[in-house]
Amino acid sequence: GQSLEQPSEVTAVEGAIVQINCTYQTSGFYGLSWYQQHDGGAPTFLSYNGLDGLEETGRFSSFLSRSDSYGYLLLQELQMKDSASYFCAVRDGVNTGFQKLVFGTGTRLLVSP
Amino acid sequence: GAGVSQSPSNKVTEKGKDVELRCDPISGHTALYWYRQSLGQGLEFLIYFQGNSAPDKSGLPSDRFSAERTGGSVSTLTIQRTQQEDSAVYLCASSLRGKPSGGGGTDTQYFGPGTRLTVL
């Protein structure tokens, strides 16, 4: 089976940097994705790591270490609009051959002025 | 269309009734997924369609749940004899393809706004 662990909540102030960690256990692994979901909204894709290392997209970066089964999402220059839930998701395609996403329970980020 | 659409946005039903939830994927996307999200929880995979292949139903919680996808486009998720524990937001997602591509491009999943189901 698969399981992912994330902190349930993180708080930070505007302009700060915050890191949201994700550890996973999977029977197969095809990469780690991050999704953002505002209250009442749909999850939206943020980033994907298929290989070890850092991927940077504007203020957001994501890191993966496959040997440690660990990744993180780094948000810089925090803005109030970044207050949302952030989900890590593992692609598991070993048994089914397709990209089923298994999601963590999410980290609620609260950004204060 | 411009994005994934779902209808209705909200559905309130009585225990024991059947409900149908609709998903319109992005035009040209061959893969379609249904997920369920309970309040404050992560997303739970339900079912996956890829082109004309047989769907993967491994996530359906019981035989009261079924889904179909007509013409490789619109999908309907049906819940029969609804129970209170079925109350959740049902999310649909589509991707250009469902197979690993080695990158985050063609298999990135795009989600619809969801249908909030409340079973009284």
Side-chain angles (χ1 to χ4, degrees), chain B:
Chain B
V4 178
S5 61
Q6 292 186 246
S7 61
S9 55
N10 280 284
K11 176 72 176 179
V12 180
T13 190
E14 294 179 347
K15 178 181 173 180
K17 300 286 188 181
D18 297 352
V19 295
E20 283 190 353
L21 313 179
R22 176 188 169 107
C23 172
D24 232 310
I26 293 173
S27 177
H29 280 194
T30 63
L32 186 148
Y33 312 77
W34 282 98
Y35 295 88
R36 178 169 70 174
Q37 186 175 31
S38 299
L39 187 63
Q41 299 297 309
L43 284 78
E44 174 191 4
F45 166 78
L46 297 177
I47 188 170
Y48 157 78
F49 295 89
Q50 172 63 58
N52 296 319
S53 302
D56 185 307
K57 306 177 183 179
S58 60
L60 294 179
S62 78
D63 58 9
R64 296 187 295 105
F65 288 71
S66 63
E68 62 178 21
R69 188 179 184 191
T70 54
S73 180
V74 172
S75 176
T76 302
L77 176 69
T78 301
I79 309 173
Q80 296 178 308
R81 305 181 302 282
T82 52
Q83 304 294 312
Q84 289 183 333
E85 60 262 29
D86 299 335
S87 296
V89 176
Y90 289 81
L91 290 155
C92 173
S94 71
S95 64
L96 190 60
R97 49 177 282 178
K99 294 288 186 177
S101 68
T106 57
D107 40 14
T108 296
Q109 295 185 22
Y110 297 88
F111 284 81
T115 294
R116 183 175 297 278
L117 175 66
T118 304
V119 182
L120 303 177

Side-chain angles (χ1 to χ4, degrees), chain A residues 9-20 75-80 82-83 108-113:
Chain A
E9 188 172 290
V10 173
T11 59
V13 297
E14 272 188 301
I17 299 173
V18 71
Q19 179 174 311
I20 300 174
L75 299 87
Q76 304 181 68
E77 301 173 18
L78 280 175
Q79 302 175 9
M80 296 292 290
D82 297 330
S83 293
R108 188 170 181 84
L109 172 64
L110 301 173
V111 181
S112 57

Side-chain angles (χ1 to χ4, degrees), chain A residues 1-109:
Chain A
Q2 304 86 23
S3 68
L4 298 95
E5 290 191 11
Q6 307 177 233
S8 59
E9 188 172 290
V10 173
T11 59
V13 297
E14 272 188 301
I17 299 173
V18 71
Q19 179 174 311
I20 300 174
N21 298 321
C22 174
T23 57
Y24 59 87
Q25 291 185 327
T26 61
S27 54
F29 182 76
Y30 286 94
L32 185 71
S33 300
W34 288 92
Y35 283 78
Q36 178 193 59
Q37 185 179 31
H38 287 97
D39 285 348
T44 56
F45 173 78
L46 286 179
S47 69
Y48 168 77
N49 293 74
L51 301 173
D52 291 351
L54 191 68
E55 294 285 339
E56 298 181 73
T57 308
R59 295 187 297 115
F60 295 179
S61 303
S62 58
F63 172 82
L64 175 66
S65 169
R66 288 176 295 173
S67 60
D68 296 323
S69 297
Y70 163 77
Y72 66 72
L73 180 68
L74 189 74
L75 299 87
Q76 304 181 68
E77 301 173 18
L78 280 175
Q79 302 175 9
M80 296 292 290
K81 67 179 182 179
D82 297 330
S83 293
S85 291
Y86 293 84
F87 295 89
C88 59
V90 175
R91 296 177 171 186
D92 176 22
V94 172
N95 296 322
T96 64
F98 79 97
Q99 296 271 287
K100 183 176 79 173
L101 283 179
V102 178
F103 285 83
T105 52
T107 298
R108 188 170 181 84
L109 172 64

